[in-house]
Amino acid sequence: MEAMEFIKTEPVDLLFLDIQMPDLTGIEFSKMLPKETRVIFTTAFDHYAIDGFKVEALDYLLKPFDYAEFLTASNKARTWFEMVKEKKETVTSEQKEFLFIKSEYKQLRIKLADVLYFEGLKDYIKIWLKDNPKPILTLMSLKSLEEELPQTAFMRVHRFFIVSLKNIEVIERSQIIINKQRITVSEQYKPKFLEFVNSNSLDEVKNIE
């Protein structure tokens, strides 16, 4: 009961939990935990394994276990948490449809679907939009912007350019053409861009030299 009160005020990601305990079993205790807290059961009795997995335990360590077994279970838990975090970040990123961009003392709502490409200019970025002959200028780095963009919709192809993948009209050698603008794909970004091209091509493209 002291542990339960502690977890309410000090959130725990991973709990190594025995099963046979006085007053309350580990299985019963695990059902009372916040959903964010995951469990690895530690017990001397293997017949509890099925019950452990019924409550979605990440692993089950049978006593006596050595350090290697403990480390394997810990790494399994770490991998699980990393996958969950990555999935959440991906979902959040892919659902993003617009950004608020500060320009000339105003916060402009920019629809990502309207963006052709972003052009870096030292500490500034030019945002080129459809049906807009003049770019929007904002004080921001391409690196910071790149972290906010959906990875399936935008790609960094050059030190100074991030392009909208759906608005690419032509790929000619190592250049992308968007709205008559030629953007060179630099060597650093060619492998990833080539992977994108091949995943959306009827014939495999060997290179874009």
Side-chain angles (χ1 to χ4, degrees):
M1 293 303 100
E2 290 177 8
M4 182 60 72
E5 290 302 314
F6 175 83
I7 291 173
K8 288 179 181 178
T9 57
E10 301 288 339
V12 172
D13 292 325
L14 180 64
L15 189 65
F16 288 84
L17 183 62
D18 205 341
I19 291 182
Q20 283 200 332
M21 300 186 296
D23 301 326
L24 195 67
T25 70
I27 299 293
E28 293 169 329
F29 184 85
S30 69
K31 294 177 181 179
M32 300 167 61
L33 291 170
K35 63 178 181 180
E36 294 81 12
T37 301
R38 302 315 301 262
V39 168
I40 292 178
F41 282 114
T42 61
T43 181
F45 303 95
D46 57 5
H47 62 271
Y48 285 116
I50 294 178
D51 292 332
F53 288 112
K54 280 183 179 179
V55 293
E56 299 182 351
L58 291 182
D59 212 341
Y60 186 97
L61 288 173
L62 187 63
K63 298 179 182 179
F65 52 87
D66 57 24
Y67 180 72
E69 292 172 307
F70 166 78
L71 193 60
T72 297
S74 299
N75 286 333
K76 181 178 179 180
R78 179 187 292 275
T79 299
W80 185 89
F81 279 109
E82 289 174 348
M83 287 176 60
V84 169
K85 181 181 178 182
E86 182 178 347
K87 184 176 180 180
K88 286 182 179 178
E89 290 176 347
T90 300
V91 170
T92 301
S93 177
E94 298 310 319
Q95 288 177 340
K96 193 174 293 184
E97 296 181 352
F98 62 88
L99 291 174
F100 279 103
I101 300 294
K102 187 176 182 180
S103 181
E104 298 180 354
Y105 307 104
K106 294 180 291 186
Q107 292 284 346
L108 303 179
R109 187 176 186 270
I110 305 297
K111 287 185 179 180
L112 294 180
D114 292 337
V115 175
L116 296 173
Y117 58 90
F118 300 93
E119 180 181 0
L121 188 67
K122 290 187 178 180
D123 296 328
Y124 288 85
I125 293 176
K126 289 182 178 180
I127 305 174
W128 294 89
L129 304 173
K130 297 177 182 177
D131 305 319
N132 195 338
K134 292 184 179 182
I136 294 172
L137 196 65
T138 183
L139 181 63
M140 190 179 188
S141 70
L142 273 184
K143 180 176 176 58
S144 298
L145 174 65
E146 186 178 10
E147 294 173 354
E148 298 297 324
L149 296 172
Q151 295 183 5
T152 56
F154 293 88
M155 184 179 292
R156 183 84 169 260
V157 296
H158 189 277
R159 180 183 175 188
F160 299 119
F161 288 95
I162 296 175
V163 301
S164 167
L165 296 173
K166 73 174 185 178
N167 286 309
I168 295 176
E169 299 166 7
V170 178
I171 302 170
E172 185 178 348
R173 296 185 183 276
S174 60
Q175 289 190 325
I176 296 168
I177 300 176
I178 300 179
N179 197 32
K180 298 182 181 179
Q181 171 69 36
R182 287 180 174 269
I183 299 172
T184 299
V185 181
S186 63
E187 291 296 329
Q188 179 182 354
Y189 301 102
K190 277 184 180 178
K192 186 176 180 180
F193 182 70
L194 186 59
E195 183 180 332
F196 158 74
V197 173
N198 281 326
S199 66
N200 293 277
S201 177
L202 295 177
D203 300 311
E204 183 179 359
V205 180
K206 299 298 182 181
N207 58 62
I208 52 171
E209 300 295 338

